[in-house]
Structure formats: C-alpha cells, structure tokens
Amino acid sequence: MNANVGIGREVTIDRVFAAPRELVFDCMTRSEHLEKWWGPHGFDVPFCESDARPGGSVRIDMRGPEPYGTNPVQGEFEVVDRPERLVMVLRGFPGEDGSWGIEHRTTMVFTDAPEGGTRMQMSTVVLQVSEALLPALDGMREGWSQSFEKLETLLRQL
C-alpha cells in the first residue's frame, strides 16, 4: 500500500451551532475551551496550549482509552480572522524517528445561520500521511463529528 493514496483526501462538515459566531470561534481557538471538547467520545485533553494568531502555534495532547494512549497534536495557525475564518495546519501521531504520522490543513468558515446561531463549514485536507495511518483516515469524519457533538454540549454550558 502506498501512503501517497491518502494525500489530498478531504473531509468536509457543514454544521449549525446554537451560539453566536464569536463564541464558536473562541471555542475553536482558546485553550480553556479546546481542552473541553477536542477529540472523539472517550478522549480527553490533559494539556492544551493555543496562540491563536497568524503564525501562532497550537498543541493539544489528546488522550484516549487503551490502546490509544496520549497523542500530541501540534500545528500552526495560518489564518485567524475572528469570527469569520480559521485556517490551521495540524500534525499528529509522531513516529520514533521524529516524523509525523499525519499532517492536514483545516479550514473553518463561520457565518450567521438563517435559522439563528452559527453555520460552520469545515474542510480538512490531508497533506501527508504514513502508510500505517492510512486505515485511520476512514475515521476522520466520525472523529470530527464526535468532537463537534462535545462542542455543542460545551456551548450550551457557556
């Protein structure tokens, strides 16, 4: 199997959150919010640091049940246009040789939803993936969807 087959794979999600754009945007960029919703069900975040500005960095340690353990996610913000647009490049699953198992660019666009709240249109494009992680690409949509379910719960509490 060739890891190049995963490059360019795209996951898109269009979702409406019952909250104002500024709050949804802040939940996507601020550490104290990210740590409460990031990762699929059954995962938590023991460490999160976010410097949401163009060129700023983000690190999220996502911890899952066995056999997953803790996976550091690191990246940079490319575009931070509050509350309209966010672009970041994220890397995860570091290998023993220091390389990353996956790298993807995530773009989020936030608009006022006609029915109220915030419409978020997200696109994640795989830039690089190791052969070992190719099977995990099939779970990207579900992983993001579960994370956004957790975000909806957080938004109701804020």
Side-chain angles (χ1 to χ4, degrees):
M1 191 180 285
N2 183 342
N4 289 335
V5 299
I7 294 173
R9 184 179 282 186
E10 182 177 13
V11 171
T12 60
I13 294 177
D14 192 334
R15 191 171 196 127
V16 174
F17 296 101
R21 281 191 302 158
E22 291 80 4
L23 181 58
V24 175
F25 192 92
D26 287 349
C27 284
M28 299 289 180
T29 57
R30 295 177 60 179
S31 301
E32 65 268 24
H33 298 314
L34 281 166
E35 67 188 13
K36 294 176 182 160
W37 67 266
W38 190 272
H41 298 301
F43 286 72
D44 67 351
V45 175
F47 178 84
C48 181
E49 189 173 72
S50 174
D51 180 14
R53 60 180 174 80
S57 64
V58 60
R59 177 175 168 193
I60 302 168
D61 288 354
M62 184 172 66
R63 180 174 53 201
E66 290 302 326
Y68 297 105
T70 300
N71 172 43
V73 175
Q74 296 181 13
E76 300 83 35
F77 291 97
E78 292 183 336
V79 177
V80 180
D81 184 12
R82 184 181 190 269
E84 297 168 359
R85 189 165 179 253
L86 181 64
V87 180
M88 55 191 157
V89 173
L90 299 173
R91 294 167 208 87
F93 300 97
E96 291 180 16
D97 63 356
S99 67
W100 292 97
I102 188 168
E103 180 179 43
H104 53 91
R105 177 174 284 111
T106 299
T107 301
M108 297 177 179
V109 176
F110 307 92
T111 55
D112 291 327
E115 61 273 23
T118 301
R119 179 181 184 199
M120 180 209 61
Q121 295 169 290
M122 184 204 79
S123 168
T124 297
V125 178
V126 175
L127 303 175
Q128 180 272 128
V129 61
S130 69
E131 190 170 327
L133 284 178
L134 281 173
L137 295 181
D138 292 334
M140 281 181 68
R141 174 180 300 284
E142 184 62 25
W144 277 109
S145 294
Q146 289 183 21
S147 293
F148 293 146
E149 288 172 9
K150 291 167 59 176
L151 175 56
E152 283 181 336
T153 300
L154 174 63
L155 288 166
R156 283 193 296 270
Q157 297 169 358
L158 296 176

